[in-house]
Amino acid sequence: MESELHSIGELARASGLGVGTLRYYDGAEVLTPAWVDPQTGYRWYRPGQLADARLLARLRRVGLPLAGIRAVLGAAPGSGTAARVLDAHLRRLEEGLADARRELSLIRVMTDQREQPMTTTPAEVRFTVSAEELAAALDAVRFAVGGDPGTPALAGVLFEPDGPVLRLVATDRYRMALAEVPATTAPDRPDGGTIVPTALVDALRALLGAGAGAGAADAEAEVALTLGGDLVRAETGGHRIEGAALDFDYPDHRVLTRLEPEHRIDLSAAELRGAVETGATRTLPSGPNGADCAVTVLTLTADGRLAVAGAESGPGSASGDLRVAVNRDFLLDALRVGRPEQLVLELGGPIAPLAIRTPGREGTFSLLMPVRVPDLG
């Protein structure tokens, strides 16, 4: 038999993988030998496994995680699984590279300021956006603004210019909301963003008119925004408001927004709201400062629909293997944003954030942090 097989040393030399690496992937059940000598424990591989070993070596070089390697090597012919895994990994690499470029550009600006103390005052960044779209973006994130005096950096909305869009971010650590507004004119240099305090956010929203999406904000009107240093200024329709920005470092929201979900469910927003409002809840310390709050447990039915565990009505009611617990009030807040007809929910597991998206608004969505429930398993 041995004459028909490759020894582990031969496979290592032919593939570029170390012997120890091959042993590791055997233990991980990614590339298992065709035969193991019961007396010596020595591993032997079929000639056809050399191609798998060489592919494995390349997948390692591009940094594909173990789960992805296992999916590619185990993909059935014609299933398209390998292509989907590789495309998703390429997107993560491209997003990571874009983030690295942006951070390095900001670092270069900061190091230049350290080397030239006379120019340490940041230049102003000016850009123009639609008043109607800015109003909708403020409505989409305002509910997630933090109010805990112990975390003053979260007591406002991050205004983050990013090329042709202005990104708004708000979080209170238990949830996060993001929205993007296309910029008519955009800054030509990178900017780390400005934290606009809550009072100024509310004043800006009032300036744009009440009831976004109901025609109150002029569809043709534009807002000229100026950020930079300690200043925030907004001008529209002959009116201007301005105030001081918050001088803190905002948490890196990109860590959460790059997570890959395991399940994407399309469903009616009205049905989900009804199921959450009427469904069973548990009382757990899920609110700010450990306050007791109602918790909703979401689950997937056997046919892949989303359900509220214990509910007698709404889109399904049977509990499934995947269950995610979230603060009920926070979930309802997120479902009210924009009052959409359809939603896309993304679930990554019981300890991964729950993403709530509206079809057609890629850059505007909410994330809810899961609540740990002891008996969910």
Side-chain angles (χ1 to χ4, degrees):
M1 178 180 291
E2 294 180 5
S3 62
E4 302 173 359
L5 302 175
H6 291 299
S7 71
I8 191 171
E10 290 171 340
L11 191 69
R13 289 189 294 273
S15 66
L17 295 170
V19 170
T21 302
L22 288 171
R23 292 194 185 105
Y24 167 76
Y25 284 112
D26 175 18
E29 299 182 347
V30 172
L31 186 62
T32 57
W35 181 65
V36 179
D37 190 313
Q39 294 182 340
T40 65
Y42 208 69
R43 295 166 172 85
W44 297 86
Y45 296 82
R46 294 187 306 273
Q49 289 183 285
L50 175 57
D52 285 347
R54 287 173 171 166
L55 175 58
L56 173 54
R58 291 184 177 275
L59 295 174
R60 278 170 49 87
R61 282 198 288 273
V62 298
L64 188 67
L66 180 61
I69 292 175
R70 183 180 289 112
V72 170
L73 292 181
S79 67
T81 299
R84 288 192 294 271
V85 171
L86 296 176
D87 288 345
H89 184 59
L90 179 59
R91 287 194 299 272
R92 288 193 296 269
L93 292 176
E94 290 172 341
E95 291 169 358
L97 179 59
D99 289 344
R101 284 175 173 161
R102 181 164 45 246
E103 292 301 324
L104 285 172
S105 296
L106 292 171
I107 290 170
R108 186 174 291 112
V109 171
M110 295 169 68
T111 55
D112 288 346
Q113 292 172 353
R114 286 171 62 88
E115 294 171 0
Q116 304 175 37
M118 296 303 293
T119 60
T120 55
T121 301
E124 292 182 344
V125 178
R126 298 183 180 90
F127 49 96
T128 305
V129 298
S130 159
E132 183 178 46
E133 292 185 354
L134 179 58
L138 289 171
D139 290 340
V141 303
R142 177 61 178 85
F143 74 95
V145 173
D148 183 358
T151 54
L154 306 183
V157 174
L158 177 68
F159 280 50
E160 182 183 58
D162 186 5
V165 301
L166 170 67
R167 182 178 299 108
L168 275 59
V169 185
T171 181
D172 60 2
R173 296 182 301 164
Y174 300 91
R175 51 191 169 172
M176 178 180 289
L178 300 92
E180 290 184 354
V181 182
T184 305
T185 59
D188 58 2
R189 67 177 182 84
D191 186 88
T194 299
I195 307 175
V196 181
T198 305
L200 192 55
V201 166
D202 292 342
L204 174 58
R205 184 62 188 85
L207 179 66
L208 298 175
D218 186 349
E220 301 297 325
E222 292 186 327
V223 182
L225 294 172
T226 303
L227 309 174
D230 298 327
L231 176 70
V232 178
R233 180 187 302 122
E235 299 172 89
T236 184
H239 301 281
R240 182 176 77 176
I241 60 171
E242 63 181 34
L246 297 180
D247 186 17
F248 298 103
D249 291 328
Y250 205 78
D252 185 3
H253 57 84
R254 291 181 290 270
V255 174
L256 292 177
T257 57
R258 285 199 297 263
L259 296 176
E260 285 290 326
E262 294 182 8
H263 304 276
R264 288 185 174 89
I265 303 100
D266 294 274
L267 72 168
S268 161
E271 286 188 20
L272 180 57
R273 280 195 300 270
V276 173
E277 289 171 349
T278 61
T281 61
R282 307 184 185 196
T283 301
L284 292 169
S286 63
N289 301 316
D292 284 347
C293 296
V295 171
T296 293
V297 178
L298 300 176
T299 184
L300 290 181
T301 62
D303 57 359
R305 292 180 299 152
L306 192 74
V308 174
E312 297 179 357
S313 60
S317 59
S319 295
D321 292 335
L322 175 61
R323 290 179 288 173
V324 180
V326 293
N327 183 298
R328 175 183 179 273
D329 291 339
F330 292 172
L331 176 56
L332 289 174
D333 285 344
L335 296 179
R336 294 186 187 104
V337 171
R339 298 200 173 277
E341 294 183 0
Q342 290 293 122
L343 291 172
V344 177
L345 266 64
E346 297 179 344
L347 298 88
I351 61 173
L354 169 69
I356 303 170
R357 299 181 181 273
T358 303
R361 301 178 65 190
E362 184 64 27
T364 299
F365 59 97
S366 304
L367 293 171
L368 300 183
M369 301 303 112
V371 178
R372 291 187 179 272
V373 179
D375 59 348
L376 281 189

Tab-separated table of all heavy atoms in Angstrom, residues 127-135 181-186 204 207-208 217-225 233-240:
chain	number	residue	atom	x	y	z
A	127	PHE	N	-18.678	70.288	3.235
A	127	PHE	CA	-19.351	69.503	2.217
A	127	PHE	C	-20.838	69.812	2.248
A	127	PHE	O	-21.349	70.399	3.205
A	127	PHE	CB	-19.090	68.003	2.380
A	127	PHE	CG	-19.300	67.486	3.772
A	127	PHE	CD1	-20.485	66.902	4.139
A	127	PHE	CD2	-18.288	67.606	4.728
A	127	PHE	CE1	-20.675	66.435	5.423
A	127	PHE	CE2	-18.475	67.131	6.003
A	127	PHE	CZ	-19.671	66.549	6.362
A	128	THR	N	-21.525	69.405	1.182
A	128	THR	CA	-22.942	69.711	1.010
A	128	THR	C	-23.727	68.425	0.827
A	128	THR	O	-23.309	67.532	0.082
A	128	THR	CB	-23.147	70.613	-0.225
A	128	THR	OG1	-22.322	71.771	-0.092
A	128	THR	CG2	-24.605	71.030	-0.341
A	129	VAL	N	-24.864	68.334	1.522
A	129	VAL	CA	-25.727	67.151	1.416
A	129	VAL	C	-27.171	67.607	1.266
A	129	VAL	O	-27.520	68.757	1.550
A	129	VAL	CB	-25.603	66.232	2.661
A	129	VAL	CG1	-24.188	65.706	2.800
A	129	VAL	CG2	-26.032	66.976	3.922
A	130	SER	N	-28.026	66.691	0.845
A	130	SER	CA	-29.459	66.957	0.738
A	130	SER	C	-30.059	67.109	2.128
A	130	SER	O	-29.815	66.291	3.016
A	130	SER	CB	-30.147	65.806	-0.006
A	130	SER	OG	-31.528	65.764	0.274
A	131	ALA	N	-30.866	68.154	2.313
A	131	ALA	CA	-31.518	68.374	3.608
A	131	ALA	C	-32.468	67.231	3.939
A	131	ALA	O	-32.540	66.764	5.082
A	131	ALA	CB	-32.260	69.706	3.596
A	132	GLU	N	-33.212	66.754	2.934
A	132	GLU	CA	-34.167	65.677	3.161
A	132	GLU	C	-33.448	64.389	3.568
A	132	GLU	O	-33.865	63.688	4.502
A	132	GLU	CB	-34.989	65.440	1.900
A	132	GLU	CG	-36.073	64.383	2.052
A	132	GLU	CD	-36.888	64.225	0.786
A	132	GLU	OE1	-36.284	64.150	-0.308
A	132	GLU	OE2	-38.127	64.183	0.873
A	133	GLU	N	-32.354	64.062	2.884
A	133	GLU	CA	-31.638	62.825	3.188
A	133	GLU	C	-30.901	62.923	4.521
A	133	GLU	O	-30.793	61.931	5.250
A	133	GLU	CB	-30.671	62.487	2.057
A	133	GLU	CG	-31.398	62.112	0.772
A	133	GLU	CD	-30.450	61.665	-0.316
A	133	GLU	OE1	-29.220	61.750	-0.123
A	133	GLU	OE2	-30.942	61.224	-1.371
A	134	LEU	N	-30.402	64.105	4.876
A	134	LEU	CA	-29.764	64.278	6.175
A	134	LEU	C	-30.793	64.124	7.292
A	134	LEU	O	-30.509	63.507	8.334
A	134	LEU	CB	-29.082	65.640	6.264
A	134	LEU	CG	-28.391	65.950	7.596
A	134	LEU	CD1	-27.317	64.905	7.932
A	134	LEU	CD2	-27.778	67.350	7.580
A	135	ALA	N	-32.005	64.659	7.088
A	135	ALA	CA	-33.060	64.512	8.089
A	135	ALA	C	-33.392	63.030	8.304
A	135	ALA	O	-33.528	62.562	9.441
A	135	ALA	CB	-34.308	65.278	7.660
A	181	VAL	N	-25.341	59.356	3.884
A	181	VAL	CA	-25.952	60.416	3.093
A	181	VAL	C	-25.005	60.749	1.940
A	181	VAL	O	-23.844	61.092	2.183
A	181	VAL	CB	-26.197	61.678	3.940
A	181	VAL	CG1	-26.883	62.750	3.099
A	181	VAL	CG2	-27.025	61.358	5.173
A	182	PRO	N	-25.456	60.657	0.693
A	182	PRO	CA	-24.591	61.053	-0.429
A	182	PRO	C	-24.245	62.541	-0.332
A	182	PRO	O	-25.091	63.363	0.011
A	182	PRO	CB	-25.445	60.757	-1.666
A	182	PRO	CG	-26.492	59.808	-1.200
A	182	PRO	CD	-26.754	60.139	0.240
A	183	ALA	N	-23.012	62.871	-0.615
A	183	ALA	CA	-22.568	64.269	-0.544
A	183	ALA	C	-22.523	64.867	-1.940
A	183	ALA	O	-21.941	64.284	-2.858
A	183	ALA	CB	-21.199	64.357	0.113
A	184	THR	N	-23.149	66.039	-2.096
A	184	THR	CA	-23.096	66.742	-3.382
A	184	THR	C	-21.688	67.234	-3.636
A	184	THR	O	-21.148	67.104	-4.734
A	184	THR	CB	-24.075	67.925	-3.380
A	184	THR	OG1	-25.374	67.448	-3.045
A	184	THR	CG2	-24.112	68.589	-4.743
A	185	THR	N	-21.088	67.798	-2.618
A	185	THR	CA	-19.663	68.154	-2.651
A	185	THR	C	-19.031	67.500	-1.435
A	185	THR	O	-19.604	67.489	-0.350
A	185	THR	CB	-19.449	69.679	-2.605
A	185	THR	OG1	-20.039	70.207	-1.409
A	185	THR	CG2	-20.078	70.348	-3.814
A	186	ALA	N	-17.867	66.906	-1.629
A	186	ALA	CA	-17.237	66.148	-0.557
A	186	ALA	C	-15.820	66.658	-0.329
A	186	ALA	O	-15.190	67.210	-1.235
A	186	ALA	CB	-17.202	64.660	-0.919
A	204	LEU	N	-30.151	70.653	14.874
A	204	LEU	CA	-30.030	70.494	13.427
A	204	LEU	C	-31.260	69.807	12.856
A	204	LEU	O	-31.784	70.212	11.812
A	204	LEU	CB	-28.770	69.681	13.115
A	204	LEU	CG	-28.553	69.286	11.647
A	204	LEU	CD1	-28.505	70.517	10.756
A	204	LEU	CD2	-27.273	68.465	11.503
A	207	LEU	N	-34.019	72.234	12.626
A	207	LEU	CA	-33.790	73.172	11.532
A	207	LEU	C	-34.252	72.588	10.197
A	207	LEU	O	-34.755	73.311	9.328
A	207	LEU	CB	-32.302	73.520	11.460
A	207	LEU	CG	-31.863	74.485	10.350
A	207	LEU	CD1	-32.448	75.870	10.588
A	207	LEU	CD2	-30.345	74.552	10.268
A	208	LEU	N	-34.125	71.281	10.061
A	208	LEU	CA	-34.500	70.620	8.808
A	208	LEU	C	-35.995	70.381	8.696
A	208	LEU	O	-36.480	70.008	7.633
A	208	LEU	CB	-33.759	69.274	8.695
A	208	LEU	CG	-32.238	69.370	8.654
A	208	LEU	CD1	-31.623	67.980	8.664
A	208	LEU	CD2	-31.779	70.156	7.430
A	217	ALA	N	-39.177	68.210	5.045
A	217	ALA	CA	-37.885	68.687	4.583
A	217	ALA	C	-37.956	68.870	3.070
A	217	ALA	O	-38.355	67.968	2.343
A	217	ALA	CB	-36.789	67.693	4.965
A	218	ASP	N	-37.567	70.057	2.585
A	218	ASP	CA	-37.621	70.376	1.161
A	218	ASP	C	-36.723	69.414	0.387
A	218	ASP	O	-35.524	69.309	0.647
A	218	ASP	CB	-37.161	71.815	0.947
A	218	ASP	CG	-37.331	72.266	-0.500
A	218	ASP	OD1	-37.606	71.415	-1.359
A	218	ASP	OD2	-37.169	73.477	-0.744
A	219	ALA	N	-37.311	68.705	-0.582
A	219	ALA	CA	-36.552	67.717	-1.340
A	219	ALA	C	-35.433	68.354	-2.150
A	219	ALA	O	-34.466	67.683	-2.503
A	219	ALA	CB	-37.489	66.939	-2.262
A	220	GLU	N	-35.550	69.642	-2.457
A	220	GLU	CA	-34.536	70.327	-3.252
A	220	GLU	C	-33.504	71.041	-2.397
A	220	GLU	O	-32.475	71.475	-2.907
A	220	GLU	CB	-35.204	71.346	-4.190
A	220	GLU	CG	-36.223	70.741	-5.151
A	220	GLU	CD	-35.570	69.755	-6.102
A	220	GLU	OE1	-34.413	69.985	-6.504
A	220	GLU	OE2	-36.211	68.754	-6.448
A	221	ALA	N	-33.791	71.215	-1.119
A	221	ALA	CA	-32.896	71.994	-0.258
A	221	ALA	C	-31.616	71.226	0.045
A	221	ALA	O	-31.595	70.000	0.089
A	221	ALA	CB	-33.612	72.353	1.038
A	222	GLU	N	-30.554	71.975	0.270
A	222	GLU	CA	-29.264	71.392	0.627
A	222	GLU	C	-28.770	72.012	1.931
A	222	GLU	O	-29.180	73.110	2.319
A	222	GLU	CB	-28.235	71.608	-0.472
A	222	GLU	CG	-28.536	70.841	-1.748
A	222	GLU	CD	-27.423	70.962	-2.770
A	222	GLU	OE1	-26.771	72.036	-2.807
A	222	GLU	OE2	-27.195	70.001	-3.526
A	223	VAL	N	-27.888	71.272	2.593
A	223	VAL	CA	-27.291	71.734	3.836
A	223	VAL	C	-25.785	71.812	3.641
A	223	VAL	O	-25.158	70.832	3.191
A	223	VAL	CB	-27.602	70.776	5.007
A	223	VAL	CG1	-27.004	71.311	6.303
A	223	VAL	CG2	-29.097	70.586	5.154
A	224	ALA	N	-25.204	72.955	3.962
A	224	ALA	CA	-23.751	73.109	3.940
A	224	ALA	C	-23.230	72.839	5.344
A	224	ALA	O	-23.577	73.562	6.289
A	224	ALA	CB	-23.373	74.509	3.481
A	225	LEU	N	-22.439	71.802	5.488
A	225	LEU	CA	-21.893	71.413	6.785
A	225	LEU	C	-20.412	71.757	6.845
A	225	LEU	O	-19.677	71.562	5.878
A	225	LEU	CB	-22.073	69.913	7.017
A	225	LEU	CG	-23.505	69.400	7.165
A	225	LEU	CD1	-23.519	67.882	7.191
A	225	LEU	CD2	-24.145	69.959	8.428
A	233	ARG	N	-20.838	73.437	12.135
A	233	ARG	CA	-21.720	74.478	11.609
A	233	ARG	C	-22.597	73.875	10.516
A	233	ARG	O	-22.134	73.064	9.705
A	233	ARG	CB	-20.910	75.636	11.029
A	233	ARG	CG	-21.785	76.771	10.463
A	233	ARG	CD	-20.964	77.833	9.738
A	233	ARG	NE	-19.959	78.415	10.608
A	233	ARG	CZ	-18.650	78.408	10.369
A	233	ARG	NH1	-18.179	77.821	9.283
A	233	ARG	NH2	-17.813	78.974	11.210
A	234	ALA	N	-23.878	74.277	10.492
A	234	ALA	CA	-24.803	73.841	9.451
A	234	ALA	C	-25.568	75.051	8.946
A	234	ALA	O	-26.062	75.858	9.737
A	234	ALA	CB	-25.770	72.794	9.986
A	235	GLU	N	-25.665	75.168	7.612
A	235	GLU	CA	-26.352	76.296	7.004
A	235	GLU	C	-27.316	75.784	5.940
A	235	GLU	O	-26.933	74.977	5.088
A	235	GLU	CB	-25.337	77.246	6.359
A	235	GLU	CG	-24.336	77.828	7.352
A	235	GLU	CD	-23.222	78.602	6.667
A	235	GLU	OE1	-23.392	79.815	6.439
A	235	GLU	OE2	-22.191	77.968	6.369
A	236	THR	N	-28.567	76.245	6.003
A	236	THR	CA	-29.568	75.873	5.005
A	236	THR	C	-30.704	76.882	5.012
A	236	THR	O	-31.110	77.371	6.078
A	236	THR	CB	-30.124	74.457	5.267
A	236	THR	OG1	-31.026	74.103	4.221
A	236	THR	CG2	-30.832	74.349	6.595
A	237	GLY	N	-31.210	77.219	3.839
A	237	GLY	CA	-32.355	78.114	3.718
A	237	GLY	C	-32.176	79.452	4.408
A	237	GLY	O	-33.150	80.010	4.924
A	238	GLY	N	-30.967	79.982	4.412
A	238	GLY	CA	-30.717	81.262	5.056
A	238	GLY	C	-30.584	81.194	6.562
A	238	GLY	O	-30.437	82.239	7.214
A	239	HIS	N	-30.611	80.017	7.149
A	239	HIS	CA	-30.463	79.843	8.595
A	239	HIS	C	-29.153	79.120	8.889
A	239	HIS	O	-28.675	78.317	8.092
A	239	HIS	CB	-31.634	79.052	9.176
A	239	HIS	CG	-32.965	79.693	8.941
A	239	HIS	ND1	-33.441	80.753	9.703
A	239	HIS	CD2	-33.929	79.433	8.017
A	239	HIS	CE1	-34.626	81.106	9.263
A	239	HIS	NE2	-34.952	80.320	8.238
A	240	ARG	N	-28.602	79.404	10.065
A	240	ARG	CA	-27.344	78.764	10.447
A	240	ARG	C	-27.363	78.426	11.925
A	240	ARG	O	-27.855	79.204	12.748
A	240	ARG	CB	-26.157	79.693	10.158
A	240	ARG	CG	-24.814	79.062	10.502
A	240	ARG	CD	-23.665	79.954	10.109
A	240	ARG	NE	-23.482	81.046	11.058
A	240	ARG	CZ	-22.479	81.940	10.989
A	240	ARG	NH1	-21.616	81.880	9.997
A	240	ARG	NH2	-22.392	82.890	11.883
